[in-house]
Amino acid sequence: MKILITLEKDHVAPRFDFTREVLIVENKGEKVRTVILPRSSAEELCSFILAENIDLVVCGGIEETYYQYLLWKKIRVIDRVIGPAKEVLKRVIKNNLKEGEIVK
């Protein structure tokens, strides 16, 4: 499974459409990389997600249009997540993260 977490510093970014940095994780954390995007754009981020063959997106707030688009493309989205990216990733790997969760 390939996971993308939107970032703002070391936390989940509060808004999908303002994201400029993402964390991409593969093989349950064995392969991790950070990508800096050229600009914040929900459309470009969606295109990047498709190009990278992402299976799961973890983010803060996301507009319904982009949420539905990603679901239509068969990409799972866990939104309204708040907390440190490292702790959020641990929960994702354990399959223990829910939408709207505040992680400490």
Side-chain angles (χ1 to χ4, degrees):
M1 176 169 24
K2 201 168 182 182
I3 303 160
L4 180 139
I5 301 175
T6 60
L7 293 178
E8 184 175 288
K9 297 182 182 174
D10 61 344
H11 283 69
V12 175
R15 291 195 44 185
F16 182 84
D17 57 338
F18 286 170
T19 300
R20 290 227 29 232
E21 185 176 359
V22 295
L23 182 68
I24 298 175
V25 182
E26 297 179 65
N27 300 329
K28 296 190 176 189
E30 291 176 12
K31 186 175 178 187
V32 179
R33 65 186 167 114
T34 302
V35 177
I36 306 294
L37 303 169
R39 67 191 136 273
S40 56
S41 164
E43 291 87 0
E44 289 180 27
L45 182 51
C46 285
S47 294
F48 177 80
I49 288 166
L50 295 175
E52 286 287 322
N53 296 313
I54 300 296
D55 299 300
L56 170 65
V57 172
V58 178
C59 60
I62 182 171
E63 288 184 34
E64 186 68 19
T65 303
Y66 303 113
Y67 180 85
Q68 291 299 327
Y69 175 74
L70 293 172
L71 291 181
W72 178 63
K73 291 295 189 175
K74 307 278 191 266
I75 298 167
R76 186 172 162 221
V77 178
I78 302 176
D79 66 333
R80 297 176 287 123
V81 175
I82 299 171
K86 189 174 183 179
E87 296 303 316
V88 167
L89 178 58
K90 286 179 188 177
R91 291 206 185 176
V92 170
I93 290 171
K94 291 179 182 176
N95 201 23
N96 191 24
L97 182 70
K98 299 174 192 143
E99 290 184 357
E101 190 159 0
I102 299 172
V103 179
K104 297 182 183 186

